[in-house]
Amino acid sequence: MKKKPKYKRILLKLSGEAMRGKREFGIDPEFISYLASEIAEAHKLGVQIAVVTGGGNIFRGVAGSKRGMDEATAHYMGMLATIFNAMALQDALEQKGLVVRLQTAIEMKQIAENFIRKKAIRHMEKGRIVVLGGGTGLPFITTDTGAAMRGLELGCDAVFKATKVDGVYSDDPMKNPKAKKLENLTLKEAFQNEKITILDKAAVELCMRNDLHIVVFNIHKKGALKKALMGEKIGTVIR
Ligand code: GTP
């Protein structure tokens, strides 16, 4: 009998960093096309997918406010950056032949539907990929937290956090060569351990309180998303 995927519906969080590919700034269409292929492969398994995009490759709200901007304004600019990425991803997915619905948390009638929870769920049930731009539409909330919120309200089985590292490490693997990879972790440990910063604490807390699992995996490894969905030992599962 054909093995079934471990997850029925997921919320995939793609950071702005992932959109940048090898570039220092902005969008890398080649890399986004690769991301779209990875999502297409995962979708072929029959998994329902909603994607939340970050925006750090274009504008970081936190960085803007550190340089003297009004913080809320900087955050709103960051939200617009996530919509740029969401549009680029929608385009790349559609070019692969997938049916996509773009919804934004900030009203942008000419280019996207408004975020409507039940509509997003219906789209996924009909086999469409839902791309969510604009975070939550509220300042002072990270896209990680926004992803956890959307994951919960859309009834997802897990938040899949795509990163450039292989999972959660005991310390920052880019800074500490002795950092060890953790294959399994509880949500409580991820919340309490200050060295675990792969997702911000507000996002982890939300997942912990609602028992929403988090899977951290390296999106740069071809096939990793599909393998993680099939329950293979890829990345770190936080549950
Ligand atoms: P069903 O209700 O399941 O048939 O979903 P649907 O998305 O196919 O139908 P609908 O008629 O709502 O949408 C048709 C197309 O218009 C889709 O590509 C939607 O994303 C798009 N669309 C719907 N509402 C809006 C909107 O408010 N703004 C923009 N820009 N596009 C929209």
Side-chain angles (χ1 to χ4, degrees):
M1 210 171 73
K2 216 175 143 212
K3 216 177 147 206
K4 280 197 186 143
K6 212 177 147 203
Y7 304 86
K8 282 201 185 116
R9 183 183 295 161
I10 63 155
L11 188 297
L12 175 65
K13 162 76 204 299
L14 286 181
S15 64
E17 184 122 4
M19 301 286 179
R20 167 164 80 80
K22 288 199 181 87
R23 295 188 182 196
E24 296 221 333
F25 174 81
I27 286 171
D28 179 349
E30 252 175 62
F31 196 72
I32 295 189
S33 172
Y34 160 77
L35 293 174
S37 322
E38 291 294 286
I39 295 170
E41 284 302 308
H43 191 249
K44 273 190 208 153
L45 297 172
V47 178
Q48 296 180 15
I49 304 173
V51 189
V52 163
T53 50
N57 53 323
I58 296 166
F59 188 83
R60 253 181 215 289
V62 177
S65 67
K66 276 190 189 145
R67 277 190 238 115
M69 282 187 78
D70 169 68
E71 196 168 346
T73 303
H75 281 225
Y76 278 110
M77 287 171 70
M79 286 179 236
L80 295 182
T82 72
I83 298 175
F84 263 67
N85 285 331
M87 287 178 74
L89 183 67
Q90 175 187 30
D91 175 67
L93 288 165
E94 286 175 347
Q95 289 197 33
K96 306 268 172 221
L98 291 162
V99 183
V100 184
R101 292 293 181 264
L102 174 64
Q103 294 196 343
T104 54
I106 294 173
E107 193 171 316
M108 293 225 162
K109 265 205 160 143
Q110 284 76 3
I111 53 168
E113 297 176 10
N114 283 343
F115 173 72
I116 297 171
R117 175 179 166 249
K118 292 215 167 167
K119 209 166 161 150
I121 293 173
R122 196 77 192 105
H123 285 322
M124 285 192 279
E125 285 170 348
K126 287 186 175 175
R128 300 162 182 158
I129 307 244
V130 178
V131 179
L132 301 166
T136 55
L138 299 168
F140 307 103
I141 295 176
T142 64
T143 40
D144 273 354
T145 305
M149 279 182 182
R150 294 297 190 231
L152 282 171
E153 66 176 319
L154 296 178
C156 295
D157 304 320
V159 173
F160 273 59
K161 161 106 180 175
T163 69
K164 54 184 179 191
V165 286
D166 287 335
V168 178
Y169 283 75
S170 55
D171 200 354
D172 186 341
M174 301 285 175
K175 291 181 193 152
N176 180 358
K178 285 190 183 150
K180 276 203 189 107
K181 189 183 150 192
L182 312 166
E183 270 178 14
N184 284 298
L185 198 66
T186 66
L187 285 158
K188 198 170 173 193
E189 280 164 348
F191 178 64
Q192 287 175 342
N193 187 336
E194 279 176 16
K195 290 211 158 144
I196 295 173
T197 53
I198 194 102
L199 274 101
D200 67 77
K201 294 297 180 201
V204 179
E205 186 178 17
L206 205 57
C207 292
M208 181 178 72
R209 293 202 187 288
N210 297 282
D211 196 27
L212 179 64
H213 298 183
I214 305 168
V215 181
V216 179
F217 71 103
N218 187 347
I219 191 75
H220 293 262
K221 287 210 170 145
K222 204 168 181 323
L225 173 60
K226 192 174 167 182
K227 285 181 184 158
L229 285 167
M230 291 307 293
E232 285 184 37
K233 273 196 180 171
I234 290 279
T236 300
V237 182
I238 313 175
R239 60 183 133 211

